[in-house]
Amino acid sequence: MKNIALVEDCCPPLLETALSAEDAERMAVAFRVVGDPTRLRLLSMIATHPGGEVCACELVEPLGLSQPTISHHLKVLFEAGLLGRERRGTWVFYRVSSGPLEALRSALATTPN
Amino acid sequence: MKNIALVEDCCPPLLETALSAEDAERMAVAFRVVGDPTRLRLLSMIATHPGGEVCACELVEPLGLSQPTISHHLKVLFEAGLLGRERRGTWVFYRVSSGPLEALRSALATTPN
DNA sequence: TCTTTGTATCGACGTTTGTCTATATCGAAC
DNA sequence: GTTCGATATAGACAAACGTCGATACAAAGA
């Protein structure tokens, strides 16, 4: 979970050609990012928020987890490329990056594209 | 990872409406199933195999893991509903179930449907 | 500068997960 | 029934992960 664009270059279509060990590892890392309920809810909350953008401060209380925990999950999502981040004053705003999500999605395609 | 059709009823579109804690948990479990490199390679190998069907015995050696480990992963995939299973004599044949994979995929859709 | 408030990092802890070896179970053939 | 080969389960162990409280850092305002 290091590179910004982790998800971007992870995802040859799974069912089309046999996956190499390296591709499988990359893809697995990407799917593990969305394999956590808190991160899924964060994505969902941010995407459905009016304006498509949410202050991190609004995400702590509704999930009932500590601020460090939410911060950690936001970081994981950001580093995977699934979230964009913008600082405005003291606040940090997040929005969902649809491209990488689509990349992940395409990996699961059951018909050639 | 209990029910056969785990993936079937896991997956409201993530970005359309805010996910409940329960939906998030179900969906996370489903994504964790495909969040392992060995399971991804198994899916890939089975799907790309001529006939779309593979004997479990053919899956052990190419992955370089022990037979119990492969058996374990096949079980996880099967119980998630991602693999179909058929016993023929001593052998067990697996094939990919495209429906559940599509269900998982649809959860990541960035456009309404 | 000092305080305040929002955010990120650190270090620790318990749980989950993937792997192994050993062993049990299953099905077929003798 | 016994044996043999394929598959599944049990139990153990290490590594990875999610969570927390404490603390550091950043930005704005007094």
PDB file of all heavy atoms in Angstrom, chain B residues 87 89-91, chain C residues 24-28, chain D residues 3-8:
ATOM      1  N   ARG B  87     -17.941 -33.406  -7.923  1.00  0.00           N
ATOM      2  CA  ARG B  87     -17.094 -34.572  -7.646  1.00  0.00           C
ATOM      3  C   ARG B  87     -17.308 -35.606  -8.743  1.00  0.00           C
ATOM      4  O   ARG B  87     -18.437 -35.953  -9.079  1.00  0.00           O
ATOM      5  CB  ARG B  87     -17.474 -35.144  -6.285  1.00  0.00           C
ATOM      6  CG  ARG B  87     -16.759 -36.421  -5.923  1.00  0.00           C
ATOM      7  CD  ARG B  87     -16.466 -36.496  -4.431  1.00  0.00           C
ATOM      8  NE  ARG B  87     -15.111 -36.931  -4.191  1.00  0.00           N
ATOM      9  CZ  ARG B  87     -14.423 -36.638  -3.093  1.00  0.00           C
ATOM     10  NH1 ARG B  87     -14.957 -35.879  -2.189  1.00  0.00           N
ATOM     11  NH2 ARG B  87     -13.196 -37.094  -2.938  1.00  0.00           N
ATOM     12  N   GLY B  89     -15.784 -39.301  -9.233  1.00  0.00           N
ATOM     13  CA  GLY B  89     -14.877 -40.320  -8.721  1.00  0.00           C
ATOM     14  C   GLY B  89     -14.084 -39.733  -7.577  1.00  0.00           C
ATOM     15  O   GLY B  89     -14.616 -39.074  -6.683  1.00  0.00           O
ATOM     16  N   THR B  90     -12.789 -39.959  -7.624  1.00  0.00           N
ATOM     17  CA  THR B  90     -11.939 -39.440  -6.556  1.00  0.00           C
ATOM     18  C   THR B  90     -11.642 -37.969  -6.731  1.00  0.00           C
ATOM     19  O   THR B  90     -11.197 -37.299  -5.806  1.00  0.00           O
ATOM     20  CB  THR B  90     -10.588 -40.191  -6.555  1.00  0.00           C
ATOM     21  OG1 THR B  90     -10.732 -41.424  -7.254  1.00  0.00           O
ATOM     22  CG2 THR B  90     -10.140 -40.439  -5.137  1.00  0.00           C
ATOM     23  N   TRP B  91     -11.909 -37.481  -7.954  1.00  0.00           N
ATOM     24  CA  TRP B  91     -11.499 -36.123  -8.262  1.00  0.00           C
ATOM     25  C   TRP B  91     -12.604 -35.106  -8.047  1.00  0.00           C
ATOM     26  O   TRP B  91     -13.783 -35.415  -8.144  1.00  0.00           O
ATOM     27  CB  TRP B  91     -11.009 -36.037  -9.712  1.00  0.00           C
ATOM     28  CG  TRP B  91      -9.821 -36.913  -9.954  1.00  0.00           C
ATOM     29  CD1 TRP B  91      -8.527 -36.604  -9.696  1.00  0.00           C
ATOM     30  CD2 TRP B  91      -9.826 -38.239 -10.471  1.00  0.00           C
ATOM     31  NE1 TRP B  91      -7.705 -37.666 -10.025  1.00  0.00           N
ATOM     32  CE2 TRP B  91      -8.484 -38.685 -10.494  1.00  0.00           C
ATOM     33  CE3 TRP B  91     -10.822 -39.101 -10.905  1.00  0.00           C
ATOM     34  CZ2 TRP B  91      -8.123 -39.953 -10.952  1.00  0.00           C
ATOM     35  CZ3 TRP B  91     -10.481 -40.371 -11.348  1.00  0.00           C
ATOM     36  CH2 TRP B  91      -9.136 -40.780 -11.372  1.00  0.00           C
TER      37      TRP B  91
ATOM     38  P    DA C  24      -6.101 -39.885  12.526  1.00  0.00           P
ATOM     39  OP1  DA C  24      -6.288 -40.080  13.966  1.00  0.00           O
ATOM     40  OP2  DA C  24      -5.431 -40.908  11.708  1.00  0.00           O
ATOM     41  O5'  DA C  24      -7.537 -39.590  11.886  1.00  0.00           O
ATOM     42  C5'  DA C  24      -8.189 -38.356  12.184  1.00  0.00           C
ATOM     43  C4'  DA C  24      -9.063 -37.955  11.020  1.00  0.00           C
ATOM     44  O4'  DA C  24      -8.233 -37.583   9.912  1.00  0.00           O
ATOM     45  C3'  DA C  24      -9.997 -39.069  10.521  1.00  0.00           C
ATOM     46  O3'  DA C  24     -11.313 -38.566  10.480  1.00  0.00           O
ATOM     47  C2'  DA C  24      -9.450 -39.395   9.136  1.00  0.00           C
ATOM     48  C1'  DA C  24      -8.826 -38.076   8.729  1.00  0.00           C
ATOM     49  N9   DA C  24      -7.761 -38.187   7.733  1.00  0.00           N
ATOM     50  C8   DA C  24      -6.547 -38.787   7.877  1.00  0.00           C
ATOM     51  N7   DA C  24      -5.780 -38.716   6.808  1.00  0.00           N
ATOM     52  C5   DA C  24      -6.547 -38.014   5.901  1.00  0.00           C
ATOM     53  C6   DA C  24      -6.307 -37.606   4.578  1.00  0.00           C
ATOM     54  N6   DA C  24      -5.184 -37.857   3.918  1.00  0.00           N
ATOM     55  N1   DA C  24      -7.296 -36.919   3.955  1.00  0.00           N
ATOM     56  C2   DA C  24      -8.434 -36.665   4.613  1.00  0.00           C
ATOM     57  N3   DA C  24      -8.773 -36.992   5.855  1.00  0.00           N
ATOM     58  C4   DA C  24      -7.776 -37.669   6.452  1.00  0.00           C
ATOM     59  P    DT C  25     -12.520 -39.612  10.273  1.00  0.00           P
ATOM     60  OP1  DT C  25     -13.596 -39.122  11.153  1.00  0.00           O
ATOM     61  OP2  DT C  25     -11.975 -40.985  10.394  1.00  0.00           O
ATOM     62  O5'  DT C  25     -12.995 -39.398   8.765  1.00  0.00           O
ATOM     63  C5'  DT C  25     -13.307 -38.077   8.319  1.00  0.00           C
ATOM     64  C4'  DT C  25     -13.400 -38.056   6.804  1.00  0.00           C
ATOM     65  O4'  DT C  25     -12.085 -38.222   6.226  1.00  0.00           O
ATOM     66  C3'  DT C  25     -14.269 -39.188   6.220  1.00  0.00           C
ATOM     67  O3'  DT C  25     -15.224 -38.597   5.380  1.00  0.00           O
ATOM     68  C2'  DT C  25     -13.267 -40.036   5.433  1.00  0.00           C
ATOM     69  C1'  DT C  25     -12.225 -38.992   5.065  1.00  0.00           C
ATOM     70  N1   DT C  25     -10.875 -39.518   4.721  1.00  0.00           N
ATOM     71  C2   DT C  25     -10.337 -39.229   3.496  1.00  0.00           C
ATOM     72  O2   DT C  25     -10.911 -38.561   2.665  1.00  0.00           O
ATOM     73  N3   DT C  25      -9.087 -39.761   3.288  1.00  0.00           N
ATOM     74  C4   DT C  25      -8.346 -40.526   4.154  1.00  0.00           C
ATOM     75  O4   DT C  25      -7.236 -40.940   3.841  1.00  0.00           O
ATOM     76  C5   DT C  25      -8.976 -40.793   5.419  1.00  0.00           C
ATOM     77  C7   DT C  25      -8.259 -41.624   6.427  1.00  0.00           C
ATOM     78  C6   DT C  25     -10.195 -40.282   5.652  1.00  0.00           C
ATOM     79  P    DC C  26     -16.572 -39.390   4.969  1.00  0.00           P
ATOM     80  OP1  DC C  26     -17.711 -38.534   5.374  1.00  0.00           O
ATOM     81  OP2  DC C  26     -16.457 -40.783   5.456  1.00  0.00           O
ATOM     82  O5'  DC C  26     -16.514 -39.420   3.382  1.00  0.00           O
ATOM     83  C5'  DC C  26     -15.979 -38.310   2.661  1.00  0.00           C
ATOM     84  C4'  DC C  26     -15.360 -38.814   1.366  1.00  0.00           C
ATOM     85  O4'  DC C  26     -14.045 -39.312   1.626  1.00  0.00           O
ATOM     86  C3'  DC C  26     -16.131 -39.963   0.724  1.00  0.00           C
ATOM     87  O3'  DC C  26     -16.639 -39.506  -0.517  1.00  0.00           O
ATOM     88  C2'  DC C  26     -15.094 -41.069   0.544  1.00  0.00           C
ATOM     89  C1'  DC C  26     -13.784 -40.318   0.670  1.00  0.00           C
ATOM     90  N1   DC C  26     -12.638 -41.115   1.162  1.00  0.00           N
ATOM     91  C2   DC C  26     -11.490 -41.232   0.359  1.00  0.00           C
ATOM     92  O2   DC C  26     -11.461 -40.671  -0.738  1.00  0.00           O
ATOM     93  N3   DC C  26     -10.432 -41.949   0.805  1.00  0.00           N
ATOM     94  C4   DC C  26     -10.488 -42.532   2.005  1.00  0.00           C
ATOM     95  N4   DC C  26      -9.426 -43.216   2.421  1.00  0.00           N
ATOM     96  C5   DC C  26     -11.640 -42.426   2.840  1.00  0.00           C
ATOM     97  C6   DC C  26     -12.689 -41.715   2.381  1.00  0.00           C
ATOM     98  P    DG C  27     -17.829 -40.392  -1.246  1.00  0.00           P
ATOM     99  OP1  DG C  27     -18.768 -39.407  -1.828  1.00  0.00           O
ATOM    100  OP2  DG C  27     -18.287 -41.426  -0.316  1.00  0.00           O
ATOM    101  O5'  DG C  27     -17.063 -41.108  -2.448  1.00  0.00           O
ATOM    102  C5'  DG C  27     -16.114 -40.365  -3.186  1.00  0.00           C
ATOM    103  C4'  DG C  27     -15.333 -41.278  -4.109  1.00  0.00           C
ATOM    104  O4'  DG C  27     -14.189 -41.818  -3.408  1.00  0.00           O
ATOM    105  C3'  DG C  27     -16.109 -42.475  -4.658  1.00  0.00           C
ATOM    106  O3'  DG C  27     -15.837 -42.561  -6.043  1.00  0.00           O
ATOM    107  C2'  DG C  27     -15.555 -43.661  -3.878  1.00  0.00           C
ATOM    108  C1'  DG C  27     -14.137 -43.217  -3.572  1.00  0.00           C
ATOM    109  N9   DG C  27     -13.564 -43.760  -2.342  1.00  0.00           N
ATOM    110  C8   DG C  27     -14.207 -43.944  -1.144  1.00  0.00           C
ATOM    111  N7   DG C  27     -13.438 -44.440  -0.209  1.00  0.00           N
ATOM    112  C5   DG C  27     -12.206 -44.589  -0.837  1.00  0.00           C
ATOM    113  C6   DG C  27     -10.982 -45.077  -0.328  1.00  0.00           C
ATOM    114  O6   DG C  27     -10.723 -45.483   0.809  1.00  0.00           O
ATOM    115  N1   DG C  27      -9.983 -45.057  -1.300  1.00  0.00           N
ATOM    116  C2   DG C  27     -10.148 -44.621  -2.587  1.00  0.00           C
ATOM    117  N2   DG C  27      -9.084 -44.672  -3.376  1.00  0.00           N
ATOM    118  N3   DG C  27     -11.296 -44.160  -3.076  1.00  0.00           N
ATOM    119  C4   DG C  27     -12.271 -44.174  -2.145  1.00  0.00           C
ATOM    120  P    DA C  28     -16.615 -43.634  -6.984  1.00  0.00           P
ATOM    121  OP1  DA C  28     -17.040 -42.923  -8.209  1.00  0.00           O
ATOM    122  OP2  DA C  28     -17.592 -44.361  -6.165  1.00  0.00           O
ATOM    123  O5'  DA C  28     -15.420 -44.607  -7.384  1.00  0.00           O
ATOM    124  C5'  DA C  28     -14.245 -44.038  -7.951  1.00  0.00           C
ATOM    125  C4'  DA C  28     -13.129 -45.060  -7.996  1.00  0.00           C
ATOM    126  O4'  DA C  28     -12.676 -45.351  -6.661  1.00  0.00           O
ATOM    127  C3'  DA C  28     -13.512 -46.398  -8.632  1.00  0.00           C
ATOM    128  O3'  DA C  28     -12.521 -46.728  -9.580  1.00  0.00           O
ATOM    129  C2'  DA C  28     -13.537 -47.368  -7.464  1.00  0.00           C
ATOM    130  C1'  DA C  28     -12.513 -46.744  -6.526  1.00  0.00           C
ATOM    131  N9   DA C  28     -12.709 -47.058  -5.117  1.00  0.00           N
ATOM    132  C8   DA C  28     -13.875 -46.974  -4.410  1.00  0.00           C
ATOM    133  N7   DA C  28     -13.753 -47.308  -3.142  1.00  0.00           N
ATOM    134  C5   DA C  28     -12.417 -47.649  -3.012  1.00  0.00           C
ATOM    135  C6   DA C  28     -11.647 -48.079  -1.913  1.00  0.00           C
ATOM    136  N6   DA C  28     -12.149 -48.264  -0.687  1.00  0.00           N
ATOM    137  N1   DA C  28     -10.338 -48.325  -2.126  1.00  0.00           N
ATOM    138  C2   DA C  28      -9.838 -48.149  -3.358  1.00  0.00           C
ATOM    139  N3   DA C  28     -10.465 -47.733  -4.468  1.00  0.00           N
ATOM    140  C4   DA C  28     -11.761 -47.499  -4.222  1.00  0.00           C
TER     141       DA C  28
ATOM    142  P    DT D   3      -4.259 -53.585   4.144  1.00  0.00           P
ATOM    143  OP1  DT D   3      -3.099 -54.450   4.423  1.00  0.00           O
ATOM    144  OP2  DT D   3      -4.751 -52.629   5.149  1.00  0.00           O
ATOM    145  O5'  DT D   3      -3.966 -52.805   2.781  1.00  0.00           O
ATOM    146  C5'  DT D   3      -3.977 -53.533   1.539  1.00  0.00           C
ATOM    147  C4'  DT D   3      -3.961 -52.547   0.383  1.00  0.00           C
ATOM    148  O4'  DT D   3      -5.305 -52.062   0.121  1.00  0.00           O
ATOM    149  C3'  DT D   3      -3.096 -51.308   0.589  1.00  0.00           C
ATOM    150  O3'  DT D   3      -2.360 -51.064  -0.602  1.00  0.00           O
ATOM    151  C2'  DT D   3      -4.096 -50.219   0.877  1.00  0.00           C
ATOM    152  C1'  DT D   3      -5.267 -50.661  -0.005  1.00  0.00           C
ATOM    153  N1   DT D   3      -6.608 -50.139   0.372  1.00  0.00           N
ATOM    154  C2   DT D   3      -7.480 -49.778  -0.629  1.00  0.00           C
ATOM    155  O2   DT D   3      -7.209 -49.850  -1.802  1.00  0.00           O
ATOM    156  N3   DT D   3      -8.691 -49.329  -0.181  1.00  0.00           N
ATOM    157  C4   DT D   3      -9.118 -49.206   1.126  1.00  0.00           C
ATOM    158  O4   DT D   3     -10.237 -48.793   1.405  1.00  0.00           O
ATOM    159  C5   DT D   3      -8.143 -49.605   2.127  1.00  0.00           C
ATOM    160  C7   DT D   3      -8.488 -49.498   3.587  1.00  0.00           C
ATOM    161  C6   DT D   3      -6.951 -50.040   1.701  1.00  0.00           C
ATOM    162  P    DC D   4      -1.079 -50.142  -0.603  1.00  0.00           P
ATOM    163  OP1  DC D   4       0.067 -50.925  -1.103  1.00  0.00           O
ATOM    164  OP2  DC D   4      -1.016 -49.460   0.709  1.00  0.00           O
ATOM    165  O5'  DC D   4      -1.448 -49.057  -1.711  1.00  0.00           O
ATOM    166  C5'  DC D   4      -2.200 -49.437  -2.870  1.00  0.00           C
ATOM    167  C4'  DC D   4      -2.818 -48.209  -3.499  1.00  0.00           C
ATOM    168  O4'  DC D   4      -4.140 -47.988  -2.948  1.00  0.00           O
ATOM    169  C3'  DC D   4      -2.028 -46.916  -3.237  1.00  0.00           C
ATOM    170  O3'  DC D   4      -1.975 -46.156  -4.427  1.00  0.00           O
ATOM    171  C2'  DC D   4      -2.850 -46.207  -2.162  1.00  0.00           C
ATOM    172  C1'  DC D   4      -4.261 -46.636  -2.561  1.00  0.00           C
ATOM    173  N1   DC D   4      -5.261 -46.546  -1.464  1.00  0.00           N
ATOM    174  C2   DC D   4      -6.599 -46.244  -1.774  1.00  0.00           C
ATOM    175  O2   DC D   4      -6.914 -46.075  -2.939  1.00  0.00           O
ATOM    176  N3   DC D   4      -7.493 -46.168  -0.759  1.00  0.00           N
ATOM    177  C4   DC D   4      -7.115 -46.356   0.493  1.00  0.00           C
ATOM    178  N4   DC D   4      -8.038 -46.267   1.452  1.00  0.00           N
ATOM    179  C5   DC D   4      -5.753 -46.667   0.835  1.00  0.00           C
ATOM    180  C6   DC D   4      -4.877 -46.744  -0.176  1.00  0.00           C
ATOM    181  P    DG D   5      -0.822 -45.053  -4.638  1.00  0.00           P
ATOM    182  OP1  DG D   5       0.081 -45.526  -5.691  1.00  0.00           O
ATOM    183  OP2  DG D   5      -0.318 -44.709  -3.290  1.00  0.00           O
ATOM    184  O5'  DG D   5      -1.617 -43.802  -5.212  1.00  0.00           O
ATOM    185  C5'  DG D   5      -2.496 -43.962  -6.321  1.00  0.00           C
ATOM    186  C4'  DG D   5      -3.609 -42.941  -6.241  1.00  0.00           C
ATOM    187  O4'  DG D   5      -4.452 -43.235  -5.113  1.00  0.00           O
ATOM    188  C3'  DG D   5      -3.115 -41.507  -6.046  1.00  0.00           C
ATOM    189  O3'  DG D   5      -3.827 -40.646  -6.923  1.00  0.00           O
ATOM    190  C2'  DG D   5      -3.426 -41.207  -4.589  1.00  0.00           C
ATOM    191  C1'  DG D   5      -4.664 -42.065  -4.356  1.00  0.00           C
ATOM    192  N9   DG D   5      -4.857 -42.437  -2.960  1.00  0.00           N
ATOM    193  C8   DG D   5      -3.913 -42.918  -2.085  1.00  0.00           C
ATOM    194  N7   DG D   5      -4.394 -43.169  -0.895  1.00  0.00           N
ATOM    195  C5   DG D   5      -5.733 -42.836  -0.993  1.00  0.00           C
ATOM    196  C6   DG D   5      -6.760 -42.893  -0.026  1.00  0.00           C
ATOM    197  O6   DG D   5      -6.702 -43.264   1.149  1.00  0.00           O
ATOM    198  N1   DG D   5      -7.980 -42.452  -0.551  1.00  0.00           N
ATOM    199  C2   DG D   5      -8.172 -42.031  -1.836  1.00  0.00           C
ATOM    200  N2   DG D   5      -9.405 -41.663  -2.163  1.00  0.00           N
ATOM    201  N3   DG D   5      -7.217 -41.968  -2.757  1.00  0.00           N
ATOM    202  C4   DG D   5      -6.032 -42.382  -2.265  1.00  0.00           C
ATOM    203  P    DA D   6      -3.445 -39.109  -7.051  1.00  0.00           P
ATOM    204  OP1  DA D   6      -3.350 -38.781  -8.482  1.00  0.00           O
ATOM    205  OP2  DA D   6      -2.336 -38.821  -6.124  1.00  0.00           O
ATOM    206  O5'  DA D   6      -4.757 -38.417  -6.476  1.00  0.00           O
ATOM    207  C5'  DA D   6      -5.999 -38.612  -7.123  1.00  0.00           C
ATOM    208  C4'  DA D   6      -7.091 -37.913  -6.350  1.00  0.00           C
ATOM    209  O4'  DA D   6      -7.254 -38.567  -5.078  1.00  0.00           O
ATOM    210  C3'  DA D   6      -6.824 -36.443  -6.049  1.00  0.00           C
ATOM    211  O3'  DA D   6      -7.965 -35.682  -6.385  1.00  0.00           O
ATOM    212  C2'  DA D   6      -6.520 -36.411  -4.553  1.00  0.00           C
ATOM    213  C1'  DA D   6      -7.284 -37.615  -4.037  1.00  0.00           C
ATOM    214  N9   DA D   6      -6.677 -38.222  -2.856  1.00  0.00           N
ATOM    215  C8   DA D   6      -5.386 -38.657  -2.720  1.00  0.00           C
ATOM    216  N7   DA D   6      -5.119 -39.178  -1.539  1.00  0.00           N
ATOM    217  C5   DA D   6      -6.320 -39.076  -0.860  1.00  0.00           C
ATOM    218  C6   DA D   6      -6.698 -39.456   0.447  1.00  0.00           C
ATOM    219  N6   DA D   6      -5.862 -40.037   1.319  1.00  0.00           N
ATOM    220  N1   DA D   6      -7.972 -39.225   0.822  1.00  0.00           N
ATOM    221  C2   DA D   6      -8.800 -38.648  -0.066  1.00  0.00           C
ATOM    222  N3   DA D   6      -8.561 -38.259  -1.318  1.00  0.00           N
ATOM    223  C4   DA D   6      -7.283 -38.501  -1.651  1.00  0.00           C
ATOM    224  P    DT D   7      -7.982 -34.091  -6.232  1.00  0.00           P
ATOM    225  OP1  DT D   7      -8.917 -33.560  -7.237  1.00  0.00           O
ATOM    226  OP2  DT D   7      -6.590 -33.620  -6.169  1.00  0.00           O
ATOM    227  O5'  DT D   7      -8.653 -33.906  -4.805  1.00  0.00           O
ATOM    228  C5'  DT D   7      -9.976 -34.366  -4.586  1.00  0.00           C
ATOM    229  C4'  DT D   7     -10.344 -34.206  -3.123  1.00  0.00           C
ATOM    230  O4'  DT D   7      -9.468 -35.001  -2.316  1.00  0.00           O
ATOM    231  C3'  DT D   7     -10.219 -32.784  -2.583  1.00  0.00           C
ATOM    232  O3'  DT D   7     -11.514 -32.330  -2.250  1.00  0.00           O
ATOM    233  C2'  DT D   7      -9.316 -32.903  -1.353  1.00  0.00           C
ATOM    234  C1'  DT D   7      -9.348 -34.384  -1.060  1.00  0.00           C
ATOM    235  N1   DT D   7      -8.114 -34.909  -0.415  1.00  0.00           N
ATOM    236  C2   DT D   7      -8.184 -35.383   0.867  1.00  0.00           C
ATOM    237  O2   DT D   7      -9.214 -35.401   1.520  1.00  0.00           O
ATOM    238  N3   DT D   7      -7.001 -35.858   1.375  1.00  0.00           N
ATOM    239  C4   DT D   7      -5.771 -35.903   0.738  1.00  0.00           C
ATOM    240  O4   DT D   7      -4.782 -36.346   1.298  1.00  0.00           O
ATOM    241  C5   DT D   7      -5.758 -35.382  -0.612  1.00  0.00           C
ATOM    242  C7   DT D   7      -4.485 -35.367  -1.404  1.00  0.00           C
ATOM    243  C6   DT D   7      -6.919 -34.910  -1.117  1.00  0.00           C
ATOM    244  P    DA D   8     -11.746 -30.905  -1.554  1.00  0.00           P
ATOM    245  OP1  DA D   8     -13.098 -30.454  -1.913  1.00  0.00           O
ATOM    246  OP2  DA D   8     -10.570 -30.067  -1.843  1.00  0.00           O
ATOM    247  O5'  DA D   8     -11.745 -31.238   0.008  1.00  0.00           O
ATOM    248  C5'  DA D   8     -12.669 -32.194   0.503  1.00  0.00           C
ATOM    249  C4'  DA D   8     -12.516 -32.339   2.016  1.00  0.00           C
ATOM    250  O4'  DA D   8     -11.254 -32.970   2.309  1.00  0.00           O
ATOM    251  C3'  DA D   8     -12.548 -31.030   2.790  1.00  0.00           C
ATOM    252  O3'  DA D   8     -13.461 -31.172   3.857  1.00  0.00           O
ATOM    253  C2'  DA D   8     -11.105 -30.856   3.291  1.00  0.00           C
ATOM    254  C1'  DA D   8     -10.621 -32.286   3.371  1.00  0.00           C
ATOM    255  N9   DA D   8      -9.174 -32.458   3.166  1.00  0.00           N
ATOM    256  C8   DA D   8      -8.456 -32.104   2.052  1.00  0.00           C
ATOM    257  N7   DA D   8      -7.172 -32.392   2.134  1.00  0.00           N
ATOM    258  C5   DA D   8      -7.042 -32.969   3.386  1.00  0.00           C
ATOM    259  C6   DA D   8      -5.934 -33.491   4.064  1.00  0.00           C
ATOM    260  N6   DA D   8      -4.697 -33.514   3.563  1.00  0.00           N
ATOM    261  N1   DA D   8      -6.135 -33.997   5.296  1.00  0.00           N
ATOM    262  C2   DA D   8      -7.376 -33.971   5.815  1.00  0.00           C
ATOM    263  N3   DA D   8      -8.496 -33.511   5.256  1.00  0.00           N
ATOM    264  C4   DA D   8      -8.258 -33.019   4.034  1.00  0.00           C
TER     265       DA D   8
END
